Amino acid sequence: MNATERTIIEQFGYWRDAQGLDLGSASLEPGVPIVVIGCGTSYYLAQTIAVSFVSHGLEAIAVPGGEWNLRPESYVPIQKRIQVLALSRSGETTETIAAARRSLGRGERVIGITCEPGSSLTTACTACIAIPTHPEEDIVMTTSASLMLLVGLKLSQHGSGLTVSGVNHAQSMLERARLKLDALVQDRTHFVYLGGGALYGVAQEGALKLMEMSLSYSQAYHPLEYRHGPIALVDQATLVVMLYQPQTLQEETALVNELRSKGAAVIGVGGPGDLSLELNEPDPALRGLIALPTLQWLGERVAQSKGLNTREPRHLTKVVMLS
Ligand code: F1P
């Protein structure tokens, strides 16, 4: 087993520890709209977390760190009172740190989530939650992505979030996927991730993971958007990951049937597909968290099928710092 595989498979112990984390000092102010920021993986997690806040009654929006730093007025009306939740594994990403500092400078409350206790983010926040990740994790975010999503969702769900059985479920989904994924990825070169609402951020994170790890072009869409143009690309080389929601199972199944009739192979997370992975968690954002390790594993397997080492993805560095 290589180091990336270990960071995917061994992550559940870290999840269990994170469940017990006391978020007391990092609480958000009730009733004040939240801007969730981050870059790359951390931005996609921010999207799912923002939707979860909205689902639990709070106004929230996800904005890329660079955008929040350069043009906050494009996302929130000037003078509106807001608070910020900033995500960064490294706690050093230039745009996220600059955006957090600017928010602090405007008098906004800034809560940070990072995996690096001594990082710059901890000094750019009102309060910061630091949650160390798997020591073998390198450029590609695996355990850390799940941990930051787990903590962000816990904040959005008033301290509750993923249950013990949810962690077990994520682990058993990954175990099942490990037995089945290799057969499905054979001869597939076009990768599509579909998820709506809270699952759109997770779909984007799945697509990013696969792109970084396997140097394959991948796309993420809201499910029903896929019919409006991108479906033209579907053929026998297409592999689709459909992140189902129980409330929209019918519409999403109809789409999957259409994609399969055009040659796509489908991994159905929580619904039908060539590989159907059971998912009985009702909360959409938690469904995404449960599915995340399986999506990470998919990236690793496609990389291995192309003979690529996911410790050294082309052009990437562990921390993106702009001079
Ligand atoms: C996240 C990020 C990742 C990318 C790479 C470098 O930064 O840009 O999206 O895959 O691993 O880091 P952060 O969470 O450290 O701010």
Side-chain angles (χ1 to χ4, degrees):
M1 193 184 297
N2 70 32
T4 307
E5 288 175 321
R6 282 194 292 278
T7 68
I8 299 170
I9 291 170
E10 294 171 4
Q11 64 183 291
F12 303 102
Y14 293 83
W15 291 34
R16 292 186 180 97
D17 292 346
Q19 283 180 305
L21 213 63
D22 177 14
L23 305 180
S25 64
S27 61
L28 289 147
E29 216 180 307
V32 178
I34 302 157
V35 178
V36 192
I37 64 169
C39 294
T41 289
S42 294
Y43 169 54
Y44 298 135
L45 306 178
Q47 293 192 342
T48 293
I49 293 166
V51 175
S52 181
F53 273 116
V54 173
S55 308
H56 289 81
L58 272 166
E59 209 179 313
I61 181 178
V63 180
E67 288 290 289
W68 189 244
N69 183 37
L70 295 178
R71 43 184 152 260
E73 70 286 351
S74 297
Y75 298 94
V76 175
I78 295 171
Q79 309 295 4
K80 183 165 174 145
R81 186 159 172 254
I82 55 106
Q83 55 191 332
V84 171
L85 179 62
L87 274 66
S88 173
R89 168 182 68 168
S90 62
E92 301 294 348
T93 296
T94 306
E95 303 98 300
T96 305
I97 303 309
R101 286 200 204 287
R102 283 209 173 162
S103 279
L104 265 191
R106 288 191 293 267
E108 294 158 6
R109 182 173 176 78
V110 180
I111 302 297
I113 302 178
T114 182
C115 297
E116 291 296 336
S119 63
S120 302
L121 184 64
T122 59
T123 64
C125 291
T126 317
C128 195
I129 303 158
I131 174 163
T133 187
H134 194 295
E136 285 194 286
E137 192 173 295
D138 201 342
I139 294 174
V140 175
M141 291 172 66
T142 50
T143 302
S144 61
S146 310
L147 283 178
M148 293 203 298
L149 182 57
L150 187 150
V151 171
L153 294 182
K154 199 169 151 129
L155 276 177
S156 73
Q157 303 188 357
H158 315 295
S160 51
L162 196 69
T163 59
V164 172
S165 78
V167 184
N168 295 338
H169 196 3
Q171 195 162 9
S172 60
M173 183 189 290
L174 174 62
E175 275 161 19
R176 171 126 198 274
R178 284 177 62 194
L179 300 175
K180 305 277 181 184
L181 283 183
D182 286 358
L184 270 180
V185 304
Q186 275 200 355
D187 302 323
R188 305 283 164 175
T189 53
H190 171 225
F191 300 92
V192 179
Y193 293 74
L194 302 174
L199 289 173
Y200 182 58
V202 173
Q204 290 196 89
E205 168 56 7
L208 177 76
K209 207 97 289 174
L210 186 109
M211 200 183 315
E212 290 179 332
M213 292 170 112
S214 74
L215 308 187
S216 310
Y217 188 66
S218 59
Q219 299 171 292
Y221 281 92
H222 297 94
L224 301 193
E225 274 298 293
Y226 199 69
R227 282 201 184 90
H228 297 271
I231 198 165
L233 295 179
V234 173
D235 61 16
Q236 274 74 13
T238 306
L239 179 67
V240 174
V241 177
M242 176 73 231
L243 301 168
Y244 286 96
Q245 290 200 33
Q247 301 82 348
T248 45
L249 188 67
Q250 201 182 335
E251 293 87 343
E252 289 163 355
T253 303
L255 173 62
V256 160
N257 290 340
E258 193 179 337
L259 297 175
R260 290 176 78 189
S261 75
K262 292 177 175 16
V266 176
I267 300 169
V269 181
D274 298 272
L275 169 63
S276 175
L277 297 168
E278 191 200 342
L279 182 46
N280 53 25
E281 165 62 54
D283 182 279
L286 295 178
R287 288 169 78 83
L289 174 56
I290 289 169
L292 204 50
T294 296
L295 303 188
Q296 296 166 353
W297 190 259
L298 177 60
E300 174 64 25
R301 295 313 296 170
V302 175
Q304 287 192 23
S305 74
K306 294 172 81 171
L308 293 169
N309 175 5
T310 53
R311 305 290 285 179
E312 297 167 353
R314 192 174 64 181
H315 307 324
L316 295 182
T317 49
K318 191 164 181 182
V319 188
V320 178
M321 289 172 86
L322 309 178
S323 52

